[in-house]
Amino acid sequence: MRVLMAAGGTGGHLIPAIRIAEAIKRQCGESRELELLFVGSDRGFEKQVIERRHHRYEGLPARGFSRTRPWRNFAALWSNIRARSLARALVRDFAPDVAVGCGGYASYFPVRAAGQAGIPYALQEQNRLPGLATRWLVSGASVVFAAFEESRRHLAGARRLEITGNPIDPRLATMPRSEARRAWGLPEEERVILVTGGSGGARSINANVAAGLNADCPDGPVTVLWQTGRHKADWDGRVGSGWTLQPFEFTDSMTEAFVAADVVIARSGALTISELAAAGRPAVLVPFPHATDDHQTHNARVLVDAGAALLVPDRELPGRSLLAEAAGLLRDSERRERMGDAARAMGKPDAADRIAAEVISLAEGADRGDHSS
């Protein structure tokens, strides 16, 4: 079985593709040979992440169009013409039985090429408000897997739509907190805040957290697991009394970090929302203000409206302390428990397995020469 996985641009698109691929591999087991090809952007971190997992990766020179700097779009147009040609060649040479698109501008061309070659394809949409790649490809998809019920009205052109949740690490719902804390060297009784701005980090969150760490923590001791990402803060390194800090740029142990935390400070990418729900962790959410169609605010509302998270607009960060907001939740154990239960009630930890089963079914239909399913 040959499966083409298309995703690119950010970890929010790539990680779901990895989770689906892992579930496909589990379900195929030893009984069926499986070959995976990941296709995405040629200038991101995707290649090293995929090749570290011993899968083949091909990068395309696809570029997103700028709404604020239109003069750059001439170069983007030429890059995308090249990406389209390369995608067609990849599909022809790899000859997949099925393609899966997980969003991001770099995913459009290989999925489109697969559809034009008569190969069935599925789409997985992470966000409450679907991205452009999904909207452009939806009419030709055999099935669309959406994370949120609220996405349904934006995907009216789908032949078949399944609300599955986002494919995440299923251990988020089952891992004992004690195991997660051992992985991070944390005592069971420690109070822990996880700060994450996504795989690249978030400058505004980092700056706010750096300022908060300079002040003493009146509710200490509190450990802060801080994923700084590439956008490290302009920080003098001083940590006030009461704080214990574990900073890191990137880790493969984010599942353990979510489970180990009592409260999470984060952007509201779709994958983060699903991970918080599966782990049942209360959160302080700071949507990225420049996201296309403000989709991170739409994502955040899913948990905020359910009573599982607090919303702090990015523009308010200069006057508010994210660590103080999180510390307030640490002090109120009853509220924290209610928020965690509300988050957990929305979790769908079996999403990857559900999607994988459908993808395998599509591939088996392709084996029979049925590309109309």
Side-chain angles (χ1 to χ4, degrees):
M1 182 190 301
R2 292 184 298 279
V3 181
L4 186 151
M5 304 294 304
T10 69
H13 296 301
L14 183 65
I15 299 303
I18 291 172
R19 298 301 183 203
I20 294 169
E22 289 172 342
I24 293 171
K25 188 174 181 179
R26 283 197 303 272
Q27 292 183 26
C28 285
E30 300 296 328
S31 63
R32 186 165 190 177
E33 186 177 353
L34 173 66
E35 188 174 354
L36 294 163
L37 171 62
F38 285 80
V39 184
S41 171
D42 67 352
R43 62 176 186 177
F45 64 98
E46 299 101 308
K47 181 179 176 67
Q48 66 187 52
V49 172
I50 294 302
E51 291 186 347
R52 192 162 63 236
R53 289 169 168 80
H54 308 293
H55 298 307
R56 177 185 167 194
Y57 183 86
E58 296 289 345
L60 299 176
R63 301 291 182 264
F65 289 106
S66 174
R67 300 183 183 187
T68 59
R69 300 175 180 176
W71 60 88
R72 294 187 174 182
N73 291 338
F74 293 105
L77 178 61
W78 174 244
S79 294
N80 289 335
I81 290 172
R82 290 176 54 225
R84 181 181 65 178
S85 177
L86 290 169
R88 288 174 173 173
L90 281 173
V91 168
R92 182 179 62 249
D93 295 342
F94 183 61
D97 295 302
V98 64
V100 182
C102 292
Y105 53 82
S107 75
Y108 173 78
F109 296 104
V111 176
R112 177 67 172 166
Q116 290 175 331
I119 296 162
Y121 67 83
L123 301 175
Q124 195 275 317
E125 175 53 53
Q126 299 93 37
N127 291 294
R128 183 178 181 180
L129 185 64
L132 284 177
T134 298
R135 283 182 268 175
W136 287 342
L137 293 165
V138 66
S139 62
S142 297
V143 58
V144 179
F145 304 106
F148 303 113
E149 181 65 38
E150 293 85 350
S151 301
R152 189 180 296 277
R153 64 189 180 92
H154 300 287
L155 297 169
R159 301 181 198 174
R160 182 172 156 228
L161 179 65
E162 299 286 341
I163 309 299
T164 59
N166 274 316
I168 55 169
D169 186 343
R171 297 180 303 152
L172 283 160
T174 60
M175 179 182 290
R177 192 177 79 152
S178 57
E179 178 183 335
R181 293 204 161 192
R182 280 197 301 272
W184 282 91
L186 297 167
E188 184 64 25
E189 67 278 4
E190 187 78 352
R191 292 181 296 173
V192 178
I193 298 171
L194 169 65
V195 179
T196 173
S199 56
R203 288 188 178 91
S204 58
I205 290 178
N206 283 351
N208 187 282
V209 169
L213 287 169
N214 283 167
D216 293 342
C217 176
D219 303 298
V222 174
T223 291
V224 178
L225 302 180
W226 184 9
Q227 184 187 23
T228 62
R230 297 187 304 273
H231 303 312
K232 296 179 181 178
D234 182 13
W235 175 50
D236 61 12
R238 192 178 80 84
V239 178
S241 66
W243 300 112
T244 300
L245 183 62
Q246 289 196 36
F248 57 97
E249 183 172 329
F250 182 82
T251 180
D252 284 326
S253 300
M254 281 305 291
T255 291
E256 289 83 353
F258 272 101
V259 176
D262 295 299
V263 179
V264 179
I265 297 169
R267 287 296 195 202
S268 48
L271 195 61
T272 298
I273 298 298
S274 296
E275 289 168 332
L276 288 167
R281 292 299 181 266
V284 180
L285 298 176
V286 188
F288 178 55
H290 306 297
T292 303
D293 298 321
D294 197 25
H295 70 256
Q296 286 212 2
T297 297
H298 289 276
N299 292 342
R301 284 290 174 194
V302 173
L303 291 184
V304 172
D305 292 348
L310 305 179
L311 179 65
V312 178
D314 196 271
R315 65 180 180 275
E316 295 182 9
L317 287 182
R320 298 174 69 173
S321 168
L322 293 174
L323 288 178
E325 298 279 354
L329 294 177
L330 288 179
R331 287 192 297 272
D332 192 340
S333 59
E334 291 185 5
R335 185 185 185 193
R336 193 171 70 248
E337 185 173 348
R338 288 196 305 270
M339 292 175 71
D341 289 343
R344 194 174 294 107
M346 304 183 70
K348 294 182 173 68
D350 63 343
D353 285 323
R354 290 178 59 189
I355 294 169
E358 295 278 3
V359 171
I360 291 171
S361 179
L362 282 178
E364 289 173 342
D367 284 347
R368 296 190 299 269
D370 177 11
H371 283 171
S372 63
S373 59

